[in-house]
């Protein structure tokens, strides 16, 4: 697995700066797409999504996080926050103790959905928290401001009434932060995670409200990516990516998560043992 991904970067080093499937090159790079406030919240673990924040703070503290949670952090950044994978790459590279460029860039593109040959990986981060940390132990360790929050609210503290928040000694967001603060799935900016009043900040810990509407932001992002993916020109480019980088073996599945039925019959017939045909196809496709 490790060698497979390192080989990808060795054969196409441009993937550090360009999307493997060029049809996606414009996504997340239009004027207004980059949101520095979102990036700051994501990279410091202050997004208002407890499990996301706990994972990021754990990573920054220890330099390590398991694969699923790494993937979730990238998925959340690139889909829910609509951040460019190239611009979040340096932060992760700095904090990963096991940083390996050959794995880093192919995986970033896979999680961001820009390879052309992988399924979209959009995590429901609230559900992930409930599944992976059902009793909130991990969250309370790395997001200590939520240590006194009751279990029923630990994954969604913004649902607590203000009276419950004060009993727990934590203020979530601002007094005027509510469902009306969202526009197209995004929280109105500027957003500052602060206490309700000047007096409260001395007596209570504070934690931000969610900076995006999780469901709306993921739906909008998936629609944007899906629109590009359905285009015939994208499918044609994706086939060339598969010819060069796709994993080929005798099983129906592979480490790239390819869905063979989505590719042309010509690509499906490519076998690892048929080196002559592979080389010929690469030359004709101008990918060698």
């Amino acid at each position: 697995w490790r060698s497979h991904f390192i080989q990808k970067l060795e054969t196409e080093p441009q993937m550090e700066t360009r999307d493997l499937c060029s049809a996606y090159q414009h996504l997340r790079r239009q004027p207004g797409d980059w949101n520095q406030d979102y990036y700051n919240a994501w990279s410091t673990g202050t997004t208002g999504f407890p499990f996301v924040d706990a994972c990021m703070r754990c990573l920054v503290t220890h330099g390590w996080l398991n694969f699923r949670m790494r993937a979730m952090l990238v998925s959340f950044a690139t889909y829910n926050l609509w951040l460019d994978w190239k611009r979040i790459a340096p932060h992760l590279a700095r904090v990963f103790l096991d940083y390996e460029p050959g794995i880093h860039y192919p995986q970033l593109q896979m999680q961001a959905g820009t390879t052309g040959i992988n399924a979209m990986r959009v995590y429901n981060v609230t559900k992930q928290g409930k599944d992976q940390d059902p009793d909130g132990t991990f969250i309370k360790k790395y997001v200590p401001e939520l240590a006194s929050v009751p279990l029923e609210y630990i994954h969604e503290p913004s649902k607590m009434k203000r009276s419950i928040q004060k009993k727990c000694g934590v203020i979530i967001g601002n007094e005027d932060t509510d469902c009306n603060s969202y526009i197209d799935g995004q929280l109105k900016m500027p957003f500052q995670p602060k206490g309700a009043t000047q007096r409260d900040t001395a007596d209570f810990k504070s934690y931000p409200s969610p900076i995006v509407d999780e469901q709306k932001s993921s739906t909008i992002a998936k629609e944007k990516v899906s629109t590009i993916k359905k285009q015939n020109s994208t499918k044609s480019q994706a086939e060339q990516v598969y010819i060069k980088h796709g994993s080929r073996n005798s099983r129906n599945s592979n480490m790239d998560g390819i869905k063979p039925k989505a590719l042309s019959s010509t690509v499906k017939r490519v076998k690892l043992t048929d080196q002559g045909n592979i080389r010929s196809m690469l030359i004709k496709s101008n990918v060698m």
Side-chain angles (χ1 to χ4, degrees):
W1 184 89
R2 180 177 182 275
S3 298
H4 171 77
F5 281 98
I6 289 177
Q7 185 181 42
K8 286 177 181 287
L9 183 61
E10 182 177 351
T11 57
E12 191 163 351
Q14 295 87 354
M15 74 169 61
E16 181 179 348
T17 57
R18 291 188 59 83
D19 298 293
L20 270 175
C21 185
S22 59
Y24 298 95
Q25 192 66 25
H26 67 286
L27 284 183
R28 305 180 179 94
R29 295 170 190 139
Q30 298 304 302
D33 279 349
W34 180 259
N35 188 311
Q36 188 65 35
D37 291 313
Y38 285 0
Y39 172 78
N40 292 341
W42 173 79
S43 61
T44 58
T46 53
T47 66
F49 291 90
F51 194 56
V52 170
D53 294 341
C55 286
M56 180 59 77
R57 296 186 196 187
C58 175
L59 177 59
V60 171
T61 299
H62 303 292
W64 192 90
L65 199 63
N66 67 40
F67 180 83
R68 176 186 289 271
M69 300 303 91
R70 295 184 189 205
M72 182 192 72
L73 288 177
V74 175
S75 171
F76 182 76
T78 56
Y79 283 95
N80 296 95
L81 305 184
W82 203 240
L83 298 177
D84 184 358
W85 64 264
K86 290 196 300 182
R87 298 181 70 172
I88 67 171
H91 170 71
L92 294 175
R94 286 191 294 268
V95 296
F96 285 151
L97 285 176
D98 55 354
Y99 166 67
E100 164 55 63
I103 294 175
H104 195 61
Y105 295 102
Q107 281 295 324
L108 278 170
Q109 292 206 38
M110 284 177 64
Q111 302 305 329
T114 63
T115 66
I117 60 175
N118 298 105
M120 282 191 284
R121 292 170 164 85
V122 185
Y123 286 70
N124 181 322
V125 298
T126 300
K127 182 179 184 299
Q128 285 296 312
K130 293 177 179 179
D131 290 347
Q132 307 301 326
D133 187 29
D135 59 1
T137 300
F138 182 74
I139 290 174
K140 292 183 177 183
K141 178 176 181 179
Y142 291 101
V143 189
E145 54 266 44
L146 300 179
S148 60
V149 171
L151 179 58
E152 63 180 302
Y153 296 112
I154 191 63
H155 297 285
E156 298 175 281
S158 60
K159 290 186 175 182
M160 287 192 296
K161 293 181 179 179
R162 188 66 70 178
S163 59
I164 300 177
Q165 294 178 27
K166 291 184 177 180
K167 287 182 180 179
C168 297
V170 59
I171 298 298
I172 308 299
N174 302 316
E175 289 282 11
D176 57 354
T177 299
D178 55 27
C179 60
N180 295 319
S181 298
Y182 292 96
I183 298 178
D184 293 331
Q186 299 183 343
L187 190 67
K188 295 177 183 177
M189 292 304 200
F191 168 76
Q192 295 294 333
K194 60 184 180 181
T197 67
Q198 195 169 31
R199 180 183 61 80
D200 284 337
T201 57
D203 303 324
F204 300 96
K205 295 180 180 178
S206 62
Y207 183 72
S209 298
I211 60 175
V212 292
D213 181 303
E214 182 177 8
Q215 184 175 356
K216 289 182 179 179
S217 60
S218 64
T219 297
I220 292 171
K222 285 188 287 188
E223 288 177 352
K224 290 179 180 179
V225 176
S226 181
T227 297
I228 302 300
K229 189 173 185 178
K230 292 176 181 178
Q231 296 176 1
N232 289 331
S233 57
T234 303
K235 294 178 181 179
S236 178
Q237 292 177 34
E239 288 182 356
Q240 303 310 310
V241 174
Y242 176 70
I243 290 172
K244 185 172 185 179
H245 294 289
S247 169
R248 290 168 282 274
N249 53 44
S250 60
R251 296 171 296 178
N252 291 329
S253 62
N254 57 62
M255 64 185 69
D256 283 317
I258 305 292
K259 294 183 177 179
K261 65 180 180 180
L263 300 175
S264 71
S265 58
T266 301
V267 176
K268 288 186 218 176
R269 289 197 298 269
V270 175
K271 300 294 182 181
L272 184 61
T273 54
D274 199 356
Q275 298 293 342
N277 283 345
I278 292 175
R279 183 174 180 81
S280 176
M281 291 179 72
L282 290 174
I283 293 175
K284 290 180 180 179
S285 303
N286 294 318
V287 293
M288 283 193 72

